[in-house]
Amino acid sequence: MTTSSTYHGVFLTVGMLVTGTLNTLLTKLQDKQCVGNCADPDPSKREYFEQPVWQTLNMFYGEMLCLLCFYLFSQRGGGGGDNRVENRDEYQAIPDNDDEGAVNEQIAQDVPTTDALPVVDGGSDPAQLKPIVGWATLLMWIPAAFDLMGTTLMNVGLFFTTASVYQMLRGAVVIFSGLFSVLFLGHRLERFQVVSIILVVVGVTIVGLSNVISPAPQSQPDESPESVDAGLWKAMLGVVLVLGAQVFTASQFVVEEKIIRRYHLTPLRAVGLEGSFGALSVMLAIPILHLAIGRSHPGGYFDAPGGFRQIVDNPSVWQTSIYIMLSIAFFNYFGLSVTRYLSATSRATIDTCRTLFIWMSSLALGWESFSWIQVVGFVILVYGTFVYNRVLTLPF
């Protein structure tokens, strides 16, 4: 491995880690922005930015930027679409003479991370697959719809959980993707995968309990029994919403794998297409949801004019929206590049390290308090995830 290749790999790794960490932290920061009654001494009367649909639209805008990158690379390479981008010289993997690493890479092809498109080995030469053009492109609308529902649920769940718990709970996607791959893709889980999924279930359960037992610290806490009970219910609701969203995320991965096994489609273009279809879907849904729900619930999640005013009237909100959009675009690009240059296993490992950085940052910012229960759950969750990805092996 040359020195330039090593530096390039480090650059991609750091880029994925930083942009992935910023993505979650910026979203949580945006949730904390006061948009109404900010001068009221009673914190319960203040209004904070809680617009999950607008946040989902912002996420899809970030993914759309990947489509722009795809066409820029395609034009720079002289055209040729997916095939040209796929075969660009600078997109060659770093040589690795470790046979075990090659085995890990093959296993990791079906392992999703918590963001971006999982890299799937269709088992065929890309030259033998049909290009996805014309009406076939609309197939990408299906995973985009799952992404829309999953992301919106997670955005709501983040209102009621800490950033680190939110990120850890997203690791439950391994559970559902493993089950769905057996049910709908005909995969067979090896013994180590079954054990790792059980470990992930245990880890996620402990992390979820930590969110209920040790909720995030409040700037001006209300110790009344009613407030405490409401806080517990919100904490449990946040856990349920984030976990439930993983069902849609796993479904998204299953559909993506079916499409990629049938058509030749580079991951960068796939993310961009999902972003485009997802953004169009959200823009169509916003007025419908407002007329159906938001009009009778002013200030709620589906109040479209109210949410738009909150964004444009508060610089801290629209500025973080831009930063989030850019972080999503760069995270997807770095993540896909890490998979191509290094390995899918490397990407899964970096994605796990991102959770640790989010946790450390949240503690440093005072957004949450340290919990040994969460430590235990996180360790079990990480171990299960690493075993599933064959980064570690079971001792038995």
Side-chain angles (χ1 to χ4, degrees), residues 110 112 172-189 193-194 197-198 201 247 250-251 254 388:
D110 295 329
V173 69
V174 171
I175 302 169
F176 300 108
S177 61
L179 294 176
F180 290 175
S181 67
V182 173
L183 294 175
F184 303 112
L185 298 176
H187 291 181
R188 182 177 61 86
L189 294 179
Q193 291 175 313
V194 174
I197 287 177
I198 294 174
V201 170
V247 176
S251 301
V254 169
Y388 192 94

Side-chain angles (χ1 to χ4, degrees), residues 34-46:
C34 182
V35 294
N37 302 323
C38 300
D40 197 309
D42 184 357
S44 64
K45 295 182 180 179
R46 298 173 189 169

Side-chain angles (χ1 to χ4, degrees), residues 150-353:
T151 300
T152 303
L153 283 177
M154 284 190 287
N155 287 337
V156 178
L158 185 56
F159 297 154
F160 310 123
T161 63
T162 63
S164 65
V165 168
Y166 161 86
Q167 194 67 36
M168 292 178 193
L169 292 176
R170 295 182 67 179
V173 69
V174 171
I175 302 169
F176 300 108
S177 61
L179 294 176
F180 290 175
S181 67
V182 173
L183 294 175
F184 303 112
L185 298 176
H187 291 181
R188 182 177 61 86
L189 294 179
E190 302 292 339
R191 184 180 67 90
F192 77 91
Q193 291 175 313
V194 174
V195 174
S196 64
I197 287 177
I198 294 174
L199 289 172
V200 170
V201 170
V202 174
V204 165
T205 302
I206 297 175
V207 169
L209 288 175
S210 73
N211 187 62
V212 177
I213 298 173
S214 303
Q218 302 295 322
S219 57
Q220 297 185 32
D222 184 354
E223 299 295 341
S224 64
E226 295 79 6
S227 178
V228 172
D229 289 342
L232 290 176
W233 280 109
K234 287 182 178 180
M236 288 189 287
L237 176 62
V239 171
V240 171
L241 288 174
V242 177
L243 289 179
Q246 305 318 305
V247 176
F248 293 105
T249 303
S251 301
Q252 172 194 348
F253 290 159
V254 169
V255 175
E256 286 169 345
E257 178 168 345
K258 278 187 170 292
I259 293 174
I260 292 176
R261 284 185 171 183
R262 184 176 178 182
Y263 295 97
H264 177 46
L265 178 66
T266 58
L268 193 63
R269 185 185 177 211
V271 173
L273 287 174
E274 285 189 21
S276 301
F277 291 135
L280 179 59
S281 299
V282 175
M283 288 188 290
L284 292 174
I286 284 177
I288 297 174
L289 291 172
H290 173 71
L291 294 175
I293 304 174
R295 188 167 53 177
S296 58
H297 296 80
Y301 295 161
F302 304 112
D303 181 5
F308 184 76
R309 284 194 298 270
Q310 289 180 2
I311 295 173
V312 298
D313 292 344
N314 295 275
S316 59
V317 174
W318 63 258
Q319 288 172 4
T320 52
S321 294
I322 295 175
Y323 299 147
I324 291 170
M325 180 177 63
L326 293 175
S327 71
I328 289 172
F330 280 108
F331 175 75
N332 278 276
Y333 174 76
F334 281 125
L336 295 171
S337 298
V338 163
T339 306
R340 184 177 297 276
Y341 279 104
L342 302 178
S343 69
T345 303
S346 299
R347 176 175 159 187
T349 304
I350 296 168
D351 197 55
T352 301
C353 294

Side-chain angles (χ1 to χ4, degrees), residues 70-85 88:
F70 167 79
Y71 286 118
L72 288 176
F73 287 150
S74 179
Q75 291 301 317
R76 193 176 111 188
D82 285 296
N83 290 326
R84 184 60 187 167
V85 174
R88 289 173 66 237

Side-chain angles (χ1 to χ4, degrees), residues 3-56:
T3 303
S4 60
S5 296
T6 302
Y7 287 152
H8 193 200
V10 172
F11 170 73
L12 294 176
T13 299
V14 173
M16 180 182 173
L17 191 58
V18 171
T19 55
T21 301
L22 287 176
N23 181 20
T24 299
L25 292 178
L26 287 171
T27 303
K28 188 61 179 179
L29 176 64
Q30 190 176 60
D31 294 342
K32 291 177 172 291
Q33 299 306 305
C34 182
V35 294
N37 302 323
C38 300
D40 197 309
D42 184 357
S44 64
K45 295 182 180 179
R46 298 173 189 169
E47 298 178 18
Y48 294 90
F49 185 73
E50 295 183 347
Q51 297 294 333
V53 179
W54 286 102
Q55 288 179 322
T56 300

Side-chain angles (χ1 to χ4, degrees), residues 38 57 67 84 109 115 118 121 140 144 146 179 192 231 292 315 322 329 331 350 367 393:
C38 300
L57 178 61
L67 193 61
R84 184 60 187 167
Q109 297 297 325
D115 288 287
D121 183 6
M140 297 304 297
F146 284 119
L179 294 176
F192 77 91
I322 295 175
F331 175 75
I350 296 168
W367 290 357
T393 58

Side-chain angles (χ1 to χ4, degrees), residues 349-378:
T349 304
I350 296 168
D351 197 55
T352 301
C353 294
R354 173 170 64 128
T355 303
L356 181 60
F357 275 74
I358 291 171
W359 191 7
M360 294 167 57
S361 301
S362 296
L363 290 172
L365 292 169
W367 290 357
E368 55 185 280
S369 55
F370 183 80
S371 169
W372 281 108
I373 299 176
Q374 189 175 349
V375 172
V376 174
F378 178 62

